Each structure stands twice: as C-alpha cells, then as structure tokens.
C-alpha cells in the first residue's frame, strides 16, 4: 500500500458484530451451561489464521445458527468488566442468553426462555423484527439487553426489552427488568447504549423521539424534538428540532439541528471547539454534530475552518468527554467517509482508552488522533479499522490491488503493518482475548472463536 506511513489518525473502534446463518434453531453449541467448556466438546477447534500474538493452540468456540440467510442482527456482546461474552440463542419457540467466561468459554449463566410478542397476522416476517442483543453500561454496572421491535401498522408499535446483570451466575436467570416502549408507527427504531444507560430512538412523521430507560429502577423518561440547549432561547438564534443523542451522568446529551450539542445546564460544545473547526459555520452557535456516543465519549463531526483542507463536507472529527464536555482529541478526517462510502460506528478498547471507527483512531489519554483515510494526492490508499486492543494495537483492512489486505496499526505511532492475505483479524477485543468471526459452516452456522494473547 503506497504512502501508508504518512497516515495521521484519531478515534475509536467498533466492536459490533453482524452474525448470519440459515439454521432453524441455533442451539448447536460446543458446550451447554452446566456442561464442559467449549473447545473440549465434540466439535473440533477450527483453524484460525490469526495475527501474530494470538495462541491458536488454545481458546474456545461457539456457534450461532438461528438467523435466516442474509439477516443482520447483533447476536453477541461482550461485557469487559464482568469478563463475559453473551450469545443470543434460539430455544424452542423463544430465545435464551448464553453467557460464557470470556477467558475460558466456561458457562457463567444462562437465562430463562424469553418469547417476544408475536407479529400481528397482517405483518409479514422480516429480519428487522428478530430479537437482538447488546451490552449496556449504567453507573459502572454492565447489563445484557435483549430487545425486539413489533410493528402493528394499525395501532401502536412496541419495543420489548428484557435486561440481565452481566455479572449474574447460575442457570435459568430471570430478567432483572422487563420493559416495553410503545410508539406510533414510524418505520424505524434503534435501541442503543447511550453512554450511561439505555436509549430507544425513533421518528414519528419526521419528528424525533427518544426514551431513556433507567436500568436500575425501570423508570422511563421520554423526549421529543422540543429538547433545547440554553442558546436556543436567545432572540437571534434559530434552533430547529433537537434530539437526545446520549445519556450523561448529569442528564441527557442534547443535539440540535443544524448544529450544536451539550448537556443542558452542565456543558455545551461551543466551549470546546476543535482547533481546526469553524465555530461560526452556522451562525452564532457551534456547528458540531453528534456522530455517536460510546462509553465516556461523545464522537462528533465539524466543518473545518477555511483553508484547513481542500475537501468539502465535514472533515473534522472530534471526541469530547461525556460528563464534562472537555475536548479529548480531534483530527482533520471525514468520520463518515469509509473506504466503501459507509460510516462506521466507533468501537472502544476494553479499557476504554483507545477507539477506532473506519478510517479513524484515537488515544483519549494522550490526545493522539490519526486519520487513515484515502488520499489520492498523497498516494495513500486508506485503512478501515474494526477493533483495537488495550495496548493500542488496532486491526483492520487496507486496500491493496483488487483485494482488502489485513493490517495491524499502532495507534500511538501510526505504523501500519500488512499481514498475509489469508489472516483473520479479530472483530472483538477483550482483556487478553480476541474474538474471531469465521465463515458459516456447512450447517449454516456462524462460528465464533476466542483466542488468548500470548
């Protein structure tokens, strides 16, 4: 790859997984809760061409096979503090959470069978209505959340959620909380980690809505597009619709259209504008747009000052502290400009220090920020990062010839190393462990292998 040594980086790594298969019941696993550890079951350990530093002679595996072909759903999540990898498996007519020890694969806990609401007779089955799993942090405690979306097209849609503490133990664990959020038909819904709690997003005839769910008390607080920041009350400022983009320990993170964000009464981004950004691009208030919220970080994009860059759009990416609003790092790099035109959600290292998202990587402790985007003038072909370890080693793909080339990147130095073409890179990083997603098996199951670092 030409010119890779000149890459300049920032931000975070997205450890989200999309698992696909065409099996009917997904219960095929290398071990069941209460049984032997995966990796010593009947299913042989698959060969993984992992990067140097992973012990391929050890580790454990799990399979998920219940998803229809081409379905995209989050069926596995990691709780780094609890040391758990949780899988959503199909069982009978319902679903169970199967939580494994991240280091050994030994069973830690499994849940009671949960059945989401049945689809109405007038609604055809669709992959977007299948249950999904994610791990959420609130007040330092991790929860495994399973949720599904049930449309009606005649009445209110329902988002159903069940929540389990990630540090549970035992068999047949009942949900700590079961909640539902009703809304009028809108055709879109997202359930996300808001940074400090669970957030449900949806739109209703173009208006933005959100519901913040307190994981410890089950309280639900709803918001609509009327949420504002203090400067919206000034006579010469026009604020369009607002939205709750995340949840800080001190209140909701509010993002204003067309620009500006902060926690009302606590901080706003206009007091911490990135050096390369133009704070007056939209008039009196700052132009920053929230891109994502993850862990203790707010990821945003900004218009650059005139002369900073030749490219148009919003080429400045920045990271703020969710609680204080302090600018942690920024870089001139388009956060929405992935190699294939997609935008990438950020992913954190297990310790929360490093983050990567597509072409961007950053170190929140030192403030180092680097952009690995494609630059034709400089002969730089670009790198897409997908995960990062606690030591700042990131993994991804660079463009070489007609194929993607596996690479490792040192976030601290920006050094990029190409790996052999057949190298598998980890989609998920845990303390001392890397998670690899292998191609579907002959039975239509997606296989996940977790290898220790040497």
């Amino acid at each position: 790859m030409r010119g890779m040594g000149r890459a300049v980086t920032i931000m975070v790594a997205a450890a989200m997984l999309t698992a696909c298969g065409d099996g009917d019941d997904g219960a095929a696993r290398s071990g069941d809760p209460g049984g032997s550890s995966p990796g010593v079951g009947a299913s042989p350990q698959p060969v993984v061409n992992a990067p140097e530093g992973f012990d391929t002679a050890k580790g454990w595996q799990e399979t998920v096979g219940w998803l229809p072909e081409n379905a995209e759903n989050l069926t596995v999540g990691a709780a780094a503090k609890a040391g758990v990898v949780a899988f959503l498996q199909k069982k009978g007519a319902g679903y169970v959470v199967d939580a494994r020890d991240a280091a050994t694969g030994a069973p830690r806990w499994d849940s009671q069978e949960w059945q989401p609401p049945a689809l109405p007779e007038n609604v055809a089955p669709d992959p977007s209505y299948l249950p999904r799993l994610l791990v959420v942090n609130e007040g330092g405690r991790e929860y495994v959340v399973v949720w599904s979306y049930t449309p009606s097209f005649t009445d209110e849609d329902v988002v159903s959620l069940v929540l389990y503490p990630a540090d549970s133990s035992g068999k047949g664990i009942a949900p700590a909380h079961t909640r539902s959020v009703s809304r009028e038909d809108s055709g879109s819904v997202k359930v996300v980690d808001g940074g400090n709690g669970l957030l449900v997003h949806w739109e209703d005839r173009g208006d933005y809505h959100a519901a913040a769910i307190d994981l410890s008390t089950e309280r639900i607080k709803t918001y609509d597009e009327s949420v504002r920041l203090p400067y919206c009350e000034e006579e010469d400022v026009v604020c369009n619709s607002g939205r709750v983009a995340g949840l800080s320990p001190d209140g909701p993170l509010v993002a204003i259209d067309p620009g500006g964000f902060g926690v009302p009464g606590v901080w706003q981004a206009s007091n911490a504008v990135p050096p390369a950004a133009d704070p007056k691009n939209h008039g009196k208030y700052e132009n920053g747009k929230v891109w994502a919220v993850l862990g203790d970080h707010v990821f945003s994009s900004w218009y650059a000052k005139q002369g900073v860059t030749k490219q148009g759009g919003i080429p400045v990416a920045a990271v703020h502290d969710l609680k204080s609003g302090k600018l942690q790092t920024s870089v001139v790099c388009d956060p929405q400009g992935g190699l294939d035109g997609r935008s990438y959600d950020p992913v954190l290292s297990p310790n929360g220090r490093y983050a990567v998202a597509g072409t961007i990587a950053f170190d929140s402790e030192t403030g180092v920020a680097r952009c690995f985007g494609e630059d034709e003038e400089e002969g730089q072909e670009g790198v897409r990062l997908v995960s990062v370890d606690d030591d700042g080693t990131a993994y991804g793909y660079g463009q070489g010839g007609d194929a993607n080339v596996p690479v490792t990147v040192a976030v601290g130095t920006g050094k990029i190393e190409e790996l052999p073409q057949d190298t598998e890179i980890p989609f998920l990083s845990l303390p001392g462990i890397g998670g690899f997603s292998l191609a579907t098996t002959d039975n239509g199951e997606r296989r996940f292998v977790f290898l220790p670092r040497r």
Side-chain angles (χ1 to χ4, degrees):
M1 293 177 294
R2 305 182 309 273
M4 281 302 186
R6 299 192 73 262
V8 221
T9 310
I10 162 177
M11 198 145 134
V12 326
M16 136 182 188
L17 164 71
T18 300
C20 304
D22 57 11
D24 289 330
D25 110 352
R29 301 192 297 274
S30 51
D32 291 315
S36 60
S37 171
V40 295
S43 179
Q45 179 81 357
V47 176
V48 179
N49 295 319
E52 184 179 355
F54 290 94
D55 191 343
T56 58
K58 299 179 181 179
W60 58 280
Q61 63 174 306
E62 177 70 299
T63 57
V64 175
W66 59 268
L67 287 171
E69 187 176 2
N70 298 325
E72 294 189 357
N73 284 272
L74 194 62
T75 61
V76 56
K81 184 177 179 181
V84 160
V85 179
F87 299 88
L88 183 61
Q89 297 283 14
K90 200 169 188 308
K91 182 178 181 181
Y95 300 85
V96 297
V97 176
D98 180 8
R100 302 277 174 163
D101 185 277
T104 67
R108 291 275 289 272
W109 58 272
D110 67 8
S111 71
Q112 294 177 351
E113 181 182 334
W114 174 70
Q115 292 191 21
L119 291 174
E121 292 183 0
N122 64 329
V123 177
D126 185 274
S128 63
Y129 306 146
L130 293 172
R132 311 180 190 197
L133 178 148
L134 75 157
V135 175
V136 177
N137 184 294
E138 181 183 88
R141 191 173 191 189
E142 297 161 316
Y143 293 83
V144 177
V145 180
V146 179
W147 68 276
S148 71
Y149 159 51
T150 307
S152 70
F153 297 113
T154 58
D155 198 359
E156 289 187 331
D157 300 346
V158 176
V159 180
S160 304
L161 310 102
V162 286
L163 299 86
Y164 309 89
D167 57 1
S168 298
S169 62
K171 295 177 63 65
I173 300 297
H177 304 294
T178 300
R179 303 297 294 160
S180 64
V181 177
S182 300
R183 63 191 189 86
E184 294 186 17
D185 173 39
S186 69
S188 66
V189 64
K190 290 180 68 176
V191 179
V192 299
D193 182 350
N196 189 61
L198 186 65
L199 197 60
V200 181
H201 291 160
W202 72 93
E203 291 183 11
D204 178 13
R205 291 182 286 273
D207 294 332
Y208 178 86
H209 296 263
I213 301 176
D214 189 309
L215 303 182
S216 59
T217 66
E218 296 191 75
R219 287 194 299 267
I220 297 179
K221 183 174 179 58
T222 58
Y223 302 90
D224 59 23
E225 74 283 354
S226 65
V227 290
R228 290 289 186 268
L229 289 174
Y231 61 69
C232 292
E233 307 305 321
E234 300 177 20
E235 291 185 0
D236 56 345
V237 173
V238 177
C239 288
N240 296 329
S241 60
R243 65 186 179 93
V244 173
L247 301 170
S248 85
D250 301 312
L253 173 70
V254 175
I256 300 298
D257 182 19
F261 61 93
V263 178
V266 182
W267 64 267
Q268 64 184 48
S270 57
N271 295 322
V273 177
D278 179 1
K280 305 299 182 183
N281 186 272
H282 283 298
K284 187 171 181 177
Y285 46 93
E286 75 275 15
N287 71 75
K289 298 175 181 290
V290 175
W291 169 24
V293 177
L294 187 63
D296 299 326
H297 310 290
V298 180
F299 302 95
S300 61
S301 56
W302 301 68
Y303 287 91
K305 294 178 180 177
Q306 188 173 5
V308 168
T309 176
K310 296 179 181 179
Q311 56 186 328
I314 45 177
V316 178
V319 186
H320 291 76
D321 179 77
L322 177 60
K323 181 174 175 59
S324 68
K326 178 183 177 182
L327 178 66
Q328 296 177 322
T329 185
S330 66
V331 68
V332 177
C333 192
D334 185 353
Q336 306 298 321
L339 293 179
D340 51 8
R342 294 172 51 197
S343 59
Y344 293 91
D345 291 328
V347 178
L348 293 177
S349 60
N351 60 10
R353 172 176 172 175
Y354 300 96
V356 298
T359 59
I360 305 176
F362 92 105
D363 179 349
S364 62
E365 184 173 300
T366 65
V368 168
R370 304 187 185 279
C371 179
F372 296 98
E374 184 176 0
D375 189 329
E376 293 183 1
E377 292 186 5
E378 300 294 338
Q380 182 173 298
E381 291 176 320
V383 165
R384 174 171 60 88
L385 301 173
V386 298
S387 65
V388 62
D389 293 344
D390 281 344
D391 64 357
T393 302
Y395 301 90
Y397 296 96
Q399 298 223 317
D402 296 328
N404 286 336
V405 178
V407 298
T408 61
V409 173
V411 176
T413 64
K415 181 180 179 181
I416 300 172
E417 179 181 352
E418 293 187 26
L419 303 174
Q421 185 65 56
D422 62 349
T423 302
E424 300 280 353
I425 62 170
F427 76 91
L428 180 64
S429 290
L430 286 161
I433 300 289
F436 298 81
S437 173
L438 303 188
T440 54
T441 67
D442 292 339
N443 296 325
E445 300 164 342
R446 173 69 68 175
R447 182 172 291 178
F448 304 105
V449 179
F450 296 83
L451 301 176
R453 294 183 178 85
R454 298 181 188 275

